[in-house]
Amino acid sequence: LNDSQDFEVFDNGGYRSTYERKIQIETPQGVELYGQAKLGFDGKRDKQEVVEAYTLTAKGQKIPVSPDRIKVVNSNTDDTSPYFSDQKTTIFIFPQVEVASQLYYKVVTTKEEPTLKGYFADSTFFTPHRRYRDASVRVIHSPKTEMQVHARGITGSKSALSDGRIEHI
């Protein structure tokens, strides 16, 4: 249903990102595919906070994902991984998922220091194999930060906010 990511870019290239997703389960296969959600992050550079996660049942009951059903694991945990990695994955295990349920989560990730010093970078795509009611990426930065935005297949805009910062949608 909804897939949005807002970035507040710091002058050093770091950022605070708020990611929200709401999924409508329409088939039994959707129960299998989306009963768990996974979201990756850099365990060394990123601080990730789960703001909210829940199942909204077909009857309208909101069931929060309890903390014991939100797991942070190493991304490369199979026995064949020949290296150590700082990559982590947050796994949400949604309760009582069935056809007509809606699954929601909101996560804030902060990267104080960017991977490449002085540079912000992100690559977001929206698959054509999923229907979206609303999908967006928003980037806000100071006017002294040079920003190049490339978008393919979607339209966007750039504007100045009342506080002087620049917004790309």
Side-chain angles (χ1 to χ4, degrees):
L1 295 173
N2 297 39
D3 200 326
S4 68
Q5 191 161 12
D6 290 353
F7 291 96
E8 179 185 349
V9 179
F10 309 141
D11 289 341
N12 70 351
Y15 61 84
R16 180 175 299 105
S17 167
T18 302
Y19 182 64
E20 288 185 85
R21 175 176 268 180
K22 183 180 267 188
I23 301 166
Q24 174 78 44
I25 302 298
E26 297 178 341
T27 65
Q29 294 85 356
V31 173
E32 284 293 314
L33 287 171
Y34 297 107
Q36 290 187 12
K38 297 179 181 183
L39 190 60
F41 68 101
D42 183 328
K44 186 175 182 179
R45 291 187 176 95
D46 299 349
K47 177 184 164 210
Q48 192 176 74
E49 173 196 359
V50 176
V51 177
E52 187 175 22
Y54 61 82
T55 300
L56 186 63
T57 67
K59 295 179 181 176
Q61 182 185 10
K62 183 178 176 180
I63 306 168
V65 176
S66 59
D68 65 316
R69 295 176 64 97
I70 300 173
K71 310 283 186 191
V72 176
V73 299
N74 291 326
S75 292
N76 298 313
T77 57
D78 64 356
D79 292 335
T80 61
S81 293
Y83 57 89
F84 294 99
S85 173
D86 293 324
Q87 295 303 304
K88 303 286 185 190
T89 301
T90 300
I91 301 171
F92 303 88
I93 305 167
F94 291 96
Q96 299 183 31
V97 179
E98 58 189 6
V99 175
S101 296
Q102 292 181 6
L103 312 178
Y104 173 84
Y105 58 94
K106 179 178 182 178
V107 176
V108 175
T109 302
T110 304
K111 183 183 290 286
E112 294 290 343
E113 294 293 325
T115 304
L116 293 171
K117 188 175 172 120
Y119 291 93
F120 165 77
D122 178 63
S123 178
T124 299
F125 71 94
F126 300 106
T127 177
H129 305 292
R130 183 179 295 146
R131 290 184 292 153
Y132 298 94
R133 182 173 63 196
D134 182 38
S136 65
V137 176
R138 182 171 82 142
V139 178
I140 297 174
H141 61 88
S142 78
K144 66 182 181 181
T145 301
E146 184 180 331
M147 184 73 60
Q148 295 181 11
V149 177
H150 302 279
R152 187 172 34 168
I154 59 173
T155 58
S157 65
K158 175 181 175 182
S159 59
L161 299 175
S162 61
D163 64 3
R165 295 182 300 164
I166 307 298
E167 175 184 63
H168 300 267
I169 295 180

